[in-house]
Amino acid sequence: MSKRRPSGDGMVRKRDDGRWEGRIVVGHKDDGKPIFRSVFGKSQKELLEKLHQQKTVYQDVELTEGCAMTLGDWLDKWLDDYMNGTVRPSTLQGYRNYAENYIKPHLGEKTISLITTTDVQRMYTKLKKSGRIVEHEKSGKSLSDSTVRSVHSMLHLSMEMAKHEGFIAHNPTLGTVVPKPNPPAKQILNQKQLNLFLSVIEGDCQWHDFFYTAITTGLRRGELCGLQWEDLDLELGTLKISRTVHDDMTIGDTKTGESTRKIFLPPSAMEVLAERKETVKSEWIFPNLLNPTQPTRPSTAYRQLNFILEKANLPSIRFHDLRHTFATHALTNGVDAKTLSHILGHTKASFTLDTYTHVTGDMQQRAAQIVGGFLEGVMV
């Protein structure tokens, strides 16, 4: 049996075509055979310089046999063997979408251990410029900054695991430049718009209760769809939020541990749900209209929201902006941040305050005026 060649061991030869070729050992296969990495140069001097660079790159690195797989194959393996069951179904589906629609078309066929930071940066640039699958009427083919950042975060995670498994020497996502966070502006319905919204849903016997509960509790779309009658306590006036429905109709846990919570309902919302309980024959508070044994699909609720907004001649907002509307009006009407944080299922009250600085800034200004007036009265 031949002696195992150490990583970093190299060879140099002049090829028949006149070029110089150098090879270094960068790891070993399962059977102990060496894995080589080749570099080429027009002259021996040029080759030796490149070979020295490669030895520096692979110093203290021991690649394994998986280094020969393509990035596309690795992403499939990473998603199926490493991520499946460890992240929320919606997160996993998002990762699969990023892999299939954004990463694989650009780098999916390239050997994972040969992907460079330059390769990844070029992909980000192309995605930002023309990465959108379906052309948007305003943005065209340009992919949003947040989506490019999400693709980067997912690819970074997968490459860190590839490095851990010995498939790559270094994570090529390190050193890339990605767009800065640029979240969409929060949109809320002001009091006049909110009144109009409520008047429009008043005449919608199928969707009134759903959207009234949404606007009076600030629940997330999936949380609303996941409500069951066992979660409602009519005597105490409470509602337990303990599950969420995903667009693929799988039922999962709430977003975080703090998102599993019990809240007190406003009297008007309790009255709406109490009356609804008399007529809805399903375990779900908001069952699928076509199949009452299943909950409402979140995407269906979003489409219905767009229909209501158009009918009411209101601005086009996201479903999550109903949550922002609830929170903003709650703060401006005196609900403290700690209480609101629990209602919304936020991890910390500080997150609630940071999220709604546009409101808390005005509240602080009013507080300063109140304190100032109080002190003036004392000093008179």
Side-chain angles (χ1 to χ4, degrees):
M1 183 175 178
S2 61
K3 185 179 179 181
R4 182 183 174 102
R5 301 186 63 167
S7 294
D9 188 27
M11 296 166 287
V12 174
R13 74 182 181 96
K14 189 173 184 180
R15 294 162 51 97
D16 293 338
D17 61 7
R19 291 188 302 164
W20 285 81
E21 177 185 4
R23 296 198 303 171
I24 61 171
V25 178
V26 296
H28 295 83
K29 299 179 181 180
D30 295 339
D31 60 6
K33 293 182 180 179
I35 299 172
F36 293 101
R37 181 70 71 238
S38 296
V39 292
F40 302 90
K42 295 180 180 180
S43 65
Q44 186 177 21
K45 180 181 179 182
E46 179 184 347
L47 173 67
L48 292 175
E49 290 177 352
K50 290 183 177 181
L51 205 58
H52 177 72
Q53 292 174 355
Q54 288 295 298
K55 287 183 177 181
T56 301
V57 170
Y58 290 100
Q59 186 177 6
D60 300 325
V61 171
E62 175 68 20
L63 295 187
T64 59
E65 198 163 346
C67 69
M69 76 172 74
T70 65
L71 176 59
D73 288 340
W74 163 242
L75 289 176
D76 291 339
K77 180 177 178 62
W78 178 70
L79 290 168
D80 292 337
D81 298 346
Y82 295 83
M83 291 293 101
N84 192 13
T86 65
V87 296
R88 300 175 67 205
S90 59
T91 301
L92 182 63
Q93 185 56 44
Y95 285 169
R96 293 192 189 280
N97 175 60
Y98 297 149
E100 294 298 327
N101 294 326
Y102 303 128
I103 300 176
K104 287 185 180 181
H106 295 278
L107 294 176
E109 298 300 319
K110 188 157 187 175
T111 301
I112 187 173
S113 58
L114 298 180
I115 294 174
T116 66
T117 299
T118 300
D119 293 329
V120 177
Q121 187 66 66
R122 285 173 179 167
M123 181 184 71
Y124 292 162
T125 301
K126 289 179 181 177
L127 289 177
K128 174 59 183 170
K129 184 178 180 180
S130 57
R132 187 181 290 272
I133 305 302
V134 180
E135 189 167 349
H136 190 271
E137 61 176 305
K138 294 182 179 179
S139 305
K141 298 290 288 185
S142 177
L143 202 60
S144 69
D145 291 344
S146 61
T147 302
V148 176
R149 288 184 63 85
S150 296
V151 170
H152 167 75
S153 297
M154 174 257 185
L155 183 58
H156 175 79
L157 283 176
S158 68
M159 287 304 206
E160 279 296 296
M161 183 56 69
K163 180 183 175 183
H164 175 77
E165 295 291 351
F167 300 157
I168 58 177
H170 300 284
N171 189 333
T173 65
L174 296 175
T176 57
V177 178
V178 293
K180 294 181 179 179
N182 186 27
K186 296 178 183 64
Q187 300 182 80
I188 67 164
L189 300 177
N190 60 35
Q191 192 61 57
K192 182 178 179 180
Q193 292 171 329
L194 183 56
N195 292 339
L196 181 56
F197 181 85
L198 292 172
S199 67
V200 170
I201 65 172
E202 187 66 37
D204 192 333
C205 61
Q206 292 184 325
W207 286 96
H208 168 268
D209 298 353
F210 183 91
F211 284 104
Y212 191 85
T213 305
I215 207 68
T216 55
T217 62
L219 295 186
R220 300 176 178 93
R221 182 173 33 151
E223 293 173 343
L224 279 163
C225 295
L227 293 175
Q228 295 183 345
W229 289 116
E230 67 180 19
D231 303 322
L232 179 65
D233 190 323
L234 292 174
E235 292 186 5
L236 295 178
T238 61
L239 185 66
K240 183 179 179 181
I241 298 92
S242 60
R243 71 189 69 81
T244 189
V245 178
H246 305 287
D247 264 332
D248 61 2
M249 295 304 286
T250 57
I251 312 299
D253 296 330
T254 53
K255 188 174 183 180
T256 64
E258 286 72 17
S259 294
T260 298
R261 60 205 186 275
K262 183 180 289 186
I263 63 173
F264 284 92
L265 288 169
S268 60
M270 177 58 70
E271 183 179 347
V272 165
L273 294 182
E275 292 180 2
R276 183 176 182 81
K277 196 173 191 301
E278 298 297 320
T279 59
V280 174
K281 307 303 179 184
S282 171
E283 65 177 326
W284 304 99
I285 293 181
F286 303 112
N288 189 305
L289 296 177
L290 300 178
N291 184 0
T293 63
Q294 293 185 349
T296 291
R297 187 186 294 271
S299 58
T300 301
Y302 180 63
R303 287 194 296 271
Q304 187 62 27
L305 172 63
N306 289 332
F307 174 78
I308 292 171
L309 294 171
E310 184 176 353
K311 184 178 180 180
N313 197 27
L314 288 170
S316 177
I317 62 174
R318 303 165 302 163
F319 197 99
H320 205 72
D321 287 323
L322 294 181
R323 181 172 164 88
H324 292 319
T325 295
F326 163 80
T328 298
H329 285 283
L331 283 170
T332 54
N333 283 280
V335 177
D336 66 275
K338 182 69 175 179
T339 300
L340 180 60
S341 177
H342 172 73
I343 294 173
L344 294 175
H346 285 166
T347 305
K348 296 179 180 179
S350 58
F351 178 81
T352 305
L353 291 171
D354 289 341
T355 303
Y356 298 100
T357 52
H358 65 293
V359 181
T360 55
D362 293 339
M363 294 169 63
Q364 291 173 13
Q365 186 176 16
R366 288 198 298 272
Q369 293 171 349
I370 292 172
V371 172
F374 167 76
L375 290 176
E376 288 176 3
V378 172
M379 295 173 65
V380 172

